[in-house]
Amino acid sequence: MTLALVARYDSFGRKSVKLTDKQKGVVRGVIPAAVSTLIGMCGVSLLIPMRALPTDEAGARLAWAMQWTLLPTLTLMVSIMRVANYRFASPDDIDGSGLTAGTDRVLVLRAILQNTLEQAVLAVAVYLIWIAVMPLSWLRAIPVAALLFMTGRVFFARGYDRGAAGRAMGFGLTAYPTFGMLATVTVVLLIRLAHWANG
């Protein structure tokens, strides 16, 4: 979520930044999402026993991780069904977006679907990169990330009608685990590249 900050100047001419009320609402939503992500990814994931993980070979890693992609995929299916069911029940929307302008409600449902699609594609891609790059014990992050994803989508959908502040926590719970994992594998690969270049 992008924050457009309002610039202010104090009596000494120094530039300061003041958040709008909506931006403050977003911050109040994303902070608990960030804390929950940190606790989940760095703490809760360690509670998963090593015996729950697959053997350390490519096929077993892939099969194990693909099971957890079920959760982002289910949230995507639910979002698709919500749009389809609403269209079926709405005379103004039943012909689809190619033939109608769309009622306010179907536009909201489509926006949730679009965001869920984007987040699900990114999450699944990151899970697959993660299993190829990270040590076996780090695979414990995937089920936690998938559970946070699904929880985040529920909060996002329920809060969407309340605007940016209402959907902030759901967005954070969905996106932060994925972003964190992507940043981690990027750093790991850059370190390996530097090692290869120097070795």
Side-chain angles (χ1 to χ4, degrees):
M1 298 181 125
T2 305
L3 296 181
L5 304 178
V6 179
R8 305 268 189 226
Y9 295 88
D10 63 18
S11 57
F12 297 103
R14 293 177 300 202
K15 188 175 181 180
S16 62
V17 175
K18 184 173 179 63
L19 297 177
T20 66
D21 288 340
K22 285 188 178 182
Q23 290 168 334
K24 289 176 184 175
V26 169
V27 171
R28 283 192 294 269
V30 297
I31 287 175
V35 171
S36 298
T37 298
L38 191 62
I39 292 170
M41 300 298 282
C42 298
V44 175
S45 65
L46 297 178
L47 300 177
I48 299 172
M50 285 295 292
R51 65 179 179 275
L53 300 178
T55 57
D56 196 7
E57 61 94 21
R61 280 171 167 253
L62 179 61
W64 188 84
M66 287 302 292
Q67 297 174 67
W68 294 104
T69 65
L70 172 68
L71 300 184
T73 304
L74 279 175
T75 63
L76 182 57
M77 183 195 72
V78 169
S79 293
I80 293 169
M81 289 176 58
R82 291 182 74 203
V83 173
N85 289 340
Y86 187 84
R87 279 186 174 149
F88 180 76
S90 170
D92 294 329
D93 297 302
I94 196 167
D95 288 324
S97 58
L99 299 173
T100 60
T103 60
D104 289 344
R105 184 61 189 156
V106 84
L107 292 177
V108 167
L109 292 174
R110 282 173 48 202
I112 294 169
L113 169 58
Q114 179 65 35
N115 187 267
T116 302
L117 173 61
E118 294 164 359
Q119 296 285 351
V121 169
L122 182 60
V124 170
V126 169
Y127 298 171
L128 296 178
I129 298 167
W130 188 265
I131 63 169
V133 172
M134 303 305 291
L136 181 66
S137 62
W138 288 56
L139 268 60
R140 293 182 287 197
I142 293 176
V144 176
L147 288 166
L148 287 170
F149 186 103
M150 187 172 65
T151 304
R153 287 294 86 188
V154 172
F155 277 97
F156 186 85
R158 289 175 62 104
Y160 196 94
D161 290 332
R162 292 186 284 114
R167 64 181 183 263
M169 184 170 180
F171 180 89
L173 287 173
T174 303
Y176 291 166
T178 306
F179 294 170
M181 292 169 75
L182 185 56
T184 302
V185 294
T186 300
V187 169
V188 168
L189 288 173
L190 287 173
I191 290 170
R192 287 184 188 173
L193 183 61
H195 178 71
W196 295 333
N198 294 330

